[in-house]
Amino acid sequence: MNKLVKSFAYLSVSLFLISCTDNFSDINTNTLKLDTKKIESNEKLLGMVFSQAQYSSVYSVSGNAWRFQIAQNLFSDIWCQYFATTAKNFDSDRYVQVGRWANLGWLSFYEESAPQIKFVEDATKKSKNNLGNAMAKIWKVYSYHRVTDHWGPIPYSEFGNKKNKVKYDTQEDIYNDFFKQLDTATDVLKANLAKKAFSSGDKIYAGDASKWLKFANSLRLRLAMRIRFADAAKAKTQAEKAFTDGVIIDNSDNAAVATDVDNRNPLAVITDWKEFRMSAAMESILKGYNDPRVSFFFNPAVKGDSDGDGNKYEGLLNGQKKSDLAKGLNDDYSDVATRFLNLSKGGTNPHVVVIRASEVFFLRAEAALLGWSMGGTPKELYEQGIKASMKEITKVTDSEIDNYIKSTAKPVAYESGKAPLTDIPIAFEDAGTTERKLEQIITQKWIAIYPDGWEAWAELRRTGYPKQYARVSSENPDVPADKIVRRMVYVSGEFNNNKEAVDEAITKLNGGDKNNTKLWWDKKN
């Protein structure tokens, strides 16, 4: 990023902040801010704002990997059991929602990402840049869906109203609007498939409308399956619409925010802090399946084969007590793979994937289980999902992939005397129950979308899969060690600055503002 773009990035909050309260008037009147009218009429400058919205929404803003850590790694990454923490004072692995982390995660979105998205959407509407406006709408849906899937009701339709109170929309209303936003956006994209917008600013597809259409349809499919247990009829309609309009089927069309020397993959930054390692759940599944992706996900433990099973990949059971973590456990368990490490340690600074072909195949496989029109059988789509995942990150041959898909291997115990995580094999159980097949699909999806903890935690709550190991301990009275966190509780900043609205939102939650209260779409378990 050149000096101009860097300066633009650093000014982005003061430039585009449209506050949920009036607390930021001093920033809004910053005399150093750029002329927004010039930005609105200049697609190149507006494209820079759009790129910042993309970066900030995936928490890979230059120099701000800590935002990614407090928004994702210390919550959803841990709660979906991709990782376990090794830092003794990181209480989130014992189911404590640490208030200051959650508050900063909330503010990272509402003080950076949301204002940038709104600015681009409003500016493109004003300038009649229909294609750019469609892209902004799609990115808004992507960004907001992650936030509502953490908290439930959130400020959405009235964000940026410049009033002291910004109401919270119900999650059902938000999802209904998501589909409307995607309808509007995809209509524009289909009419402009050969055109581009923000070609230099768009860090996903360089403004390619045809690829944005596949992304939008794939996102629609994700959201449709998310509400499957809450509104089956709408889920079916939206899922089949997504497939008919054309979804991602090849890794070359995967949606991923590009990284560079200034905007690094945040995982590659926080690994240097040595605060988390592979989970026991990961060890059980990847070892049991003899999964060739393990070396692309994790490195062998520094101390090697500590449990004597002949394998140097070691996972830590979640929820360790502070007294045990004080001993220092990093060398006993597997860190992330070299490709995720810092560049100085051989890392590759991989792009931040937003949605990939393998996930789309697994979404289609689940929909096909229900008899919905998805262009294949559950087994065919399940196997295509595995193939797409293998092809995306590994160098294994087609025959090796086929052997994996046909394997009857099952997860194993993560250490002697413990039970395997589950007993499902890799090979699709055509004669199995629908529930067994669902577990197979979601477990393989959990592997394929690593390290996207946002999605993995949402899918865990929605489906109950993959099965989890009970934590060693929980310090949350609402969530025992053998249960899962269902949502984030609201943050202190909202009670201080938007109290009337957040109090109203709590009345819409069936169970109150607690970590064990289920979201609107969380109806299965």
Side-chain angles (χ1 to χ4, degrees):
M1 195 183 281
N2 61 35
K3 290 183 179 180
L4 172 62
V5 180
K6 283 183 180 178
S7 298
F8 191 88
Y10 298 149
L11 285 170
S12 63
V13 175
S14 56
L15 268 169
F16 310 115
L17 185 58
I18 307 170
S19 170
C20 286
T21 71
D22 61 355
N23 285 3
F24 307 105
S25 60
D26 57 329
I27 299 177
N28 284 332
T29 56
N30 188 343
T31 58
L32 298 177
K33 70 180 181 181
L34 298 176
D35 186 343
T36 56
K37 292 183 179 180
K38 291 182 179 179
I39 299 170
E40 289 172 346
S41 60
N42 186 312
E43 183 170 324
K44 186 174 182 179
L45 287 178
L46 195 56
M48 293 180 185
V49 187
F50 190 54
S51 68
Q52 281 304 116
Q54 292 175 324
Y55 282 129
S56 63
S57 291
V58 295
Y59 299 97
S60 58
V61 179
S62 177
N64 282 340
W66 61 268
R67 292 184 182 275
F68 164 83
Q69 184 185 40
I70 52 89
Q72 174 177 332
N73 184 253
L74 288 171
F75 292 121
S76 59
D77 283 355
I78 302 300
W79 292 345
C80 77
Q81 293 195 359
Y82 276 155
F83 307 120
T85 56
T86 55
K88 69 176 183 178
N89 292 321
F90 280 8
D91 298 333
S92 56
D93 205 1
R94 296 181 291 277
Y95 281 159
V96 176
Q97 183 181 318
V98 180
R100 64 185 181 279
W101 299 344
N103 200 55
L104 286 168
W106 177 279
L107 291 176
S108 289
F109 179 74
Y110 279 109
E111 289 189 355
E112 292 198 22
S113 305
Q116 292 161 354
I117 294 167
K118 181 171 175 55
F119 183 88
V120 176
E121 186 181 11
D122 290 348
T124 50
K125 180 180 180 180
K126 185 176 181 180
S127 64
K128 294 182 171 53
N129 180 351
N130 295 333
L131 187 54
N133 185 259
M135 291 161 57
K137 279 180 164 55
I138 295 163
W139 195 248
K140 177 175 72 174
V141 171
Y142 167 76
S143 301
Y144 271 95
H145 103 73
R146 303 209 304 175
V147 180
T148 185
D149 287 353
H150 264 46
W151 278 278
I154 56 170
Y156 175 70
S157 63
E158 290 191 5
F159 173 77
N161 66 7
K162 300 181 182 180
K163 298 179 181 179
N164 289 336
K165 176 186 175 182
V166 182
K167 79 167 187 177
Y168 284 54
D169 297 270
T170 68
Q171 189 171 53
E172 182 176 10
D173 286 345
I174 293 170
Y175 264 76
N176 286 338
D177 190 68
F178 284 164
F179 294 124
K180 292 178 183 178
Q181 295 287 323
L182 291 175
D183 285 342
T184 301
T186 54
D187 283 347
V188 172
L189 291 169
K190 284 186 280 189
N192 295 276
L193 290 178
K195 297 181 181 179
K196 290 188 176 183
F198 305 141
S199 55
S200 62
D202 173 21
K203 299 304 178 183
I204 299 179
Y205 294 127
D208 188 324
S210 63
K211 289 184 180 289
W212 270 90
L213 179 60
K214 293 176 185 178
F215 171 35
N217 291 330
S218 301
L219 179 59
R220 184 193 297 274
L221 180 58
R222 175 193 281 181
L223 300 178
M225 298 314 294
R226 186 63 41 79
I227 69 169
R228 169 194 162 188
F229 296 107
D231 189 338
K234 178 165 287 187
K236 181 178 187 293
T237 297
Q238 293 297 328
E240 292 184 336
K241 177 180 175 63
F243 172 67
T244 300
D245 278 1
V247 294
I248 295 170
I249 61 172
D250 189 88
N251 287 321
S252 62
D253 289 328
N254 288 353
V257 178
T259 55
D260 55 39
V261 67
D262 292 301
N263 297 283
R264 292 185 290 166
N265 186 305
L267 190 58
V269 178
I270 69 171
T271 54
D272 274 359
W273 304 342
K274 304 181 186 303
E275 294 165 337
F276 61 94
R277 289 293 183 265
M278 173 202 271
S279 73
M282 266 291 187
E283 179 183 355
S284 176
I285 289 176
L286 296 180
K287 276 187 179 179
Y289 288 165
N290 193 25
D291 199 304
R293 289 169 288 189
V294 66
S295 63
F296 293 85
F297 291 169
F298 297 98
N299 278 331
V302 172
K303 290 186 178 180
D305 180 17
S306 61
D307 57 12
D309 64 359
N311 192 309
K312 296 180 181 180
Y313 292 96
E314 304 294 345
L316 177 65
L317 192 62
N318 286 87
Q320 295 290 319
K321 296 179 180 179
K322 288 186 178 183
S323 57
D324 291 325
L325 292 175
K327 301 171 185 176
L329 301 177
N330 280 319
D331 289 350
D332 296 286
Y333 300 96
S334 293
D335 195 1
V336 294
T338 298
R339 70 189 182 104
F340 289 116
L341 297 180
N342 197 289
L343 291 171
S344 64
K345 297 179 180 178
T348 62
N349 196 24
H351 295 342
V352 181
V353 180
V354 171
I355 193 166
R356 46 177 37 102
S358 57
E359 178 189 346
V360 176
F361 279 119
F362 291 125
L363 289 165
R364 290 169 61 192
E366 180 183 352
L369 271 181
L370 305 173
W372 301 354
S373 178
M374 286 291 128
T377 66
K379 180 177 185 291
E380 290 169 342
L381 295 167
Y382 169 81
E383 292 179 350
Q384 286 179 283
I386 295 174
K387 289 178 182 178
S389 177
M390 295 282 191
K391 291 288 188 181
E392 179 188 356
I393 61 170
T394 75
K395 297 179 180 179
V396 296
T397 65
D398 289 342
S399 62
E400 289 173 319
I401 295 174
D402 287 340
N403 288 337
Y404 177 90
I405 287 172
K406 296 173 184 176
S407 172
T408 57
K410 299 178 180 180
V412 296
Y414 68 93
E415 65 179 40
S416 179
K418 305 298 182 181
L421 189 68
T422 184
D423 66 346
I424 59 165
I426 300 168
F428 196 72
E429 295 185 332
D430 259 333
T433 65
T434 299
E435 195 64 25
R436 289 275 291 183
K437 294 173 186 176
L438 178 63
E439 182 180 0
Q440 287 187 290
I441 291 168
I442 302 301
T443 299
Q444 282 292 338
K445 183 199 287 188
W446 178 77
I447 299 172
I449 65 174
Y450 170 89
D452 188 353
W454 292 81
E455 273 305 294
W457 181 43
E459 289 295 84
L460 170 66
R461 290 173 286 157
R462 181 179 74 88
T463 68
Y465 301 119
K467 292 177 180 175
Q468 293 218 322
Y469 280 120
R471 278 164 159 71
V472 174
S473 61
S474 170
E475 296 177 7
N476 187 330
D478 293 326
V479 189
D482 62 346
K483 301 297 182 182
I484 64 174
V485 174
R486 294 288 178 174
R487 65 176 287 274
M488 302 276 276
V489 299
Y490 291 123
V491 300
S492 60
E494 283 295 278
F495 288 103
N496 293 334
N497 301 318
N498 197 22
K499 181 173 172 52
E500 183 180 351
V502 73
D503 283 343
E504 288 176 0
I506 291 171
T507 66
K508 301 172 185 177
L509 290 169
N510 186 21
D513 188 24
K514 297 181 180 180
N515 290 127
N516 61 353
T517 295
K518 294 184 177 183
L519 300 183
W520 164 71
W521 48 251
D522 186 1
K523 295 287 197 298
K524 177 176 182 282
N525 299 303

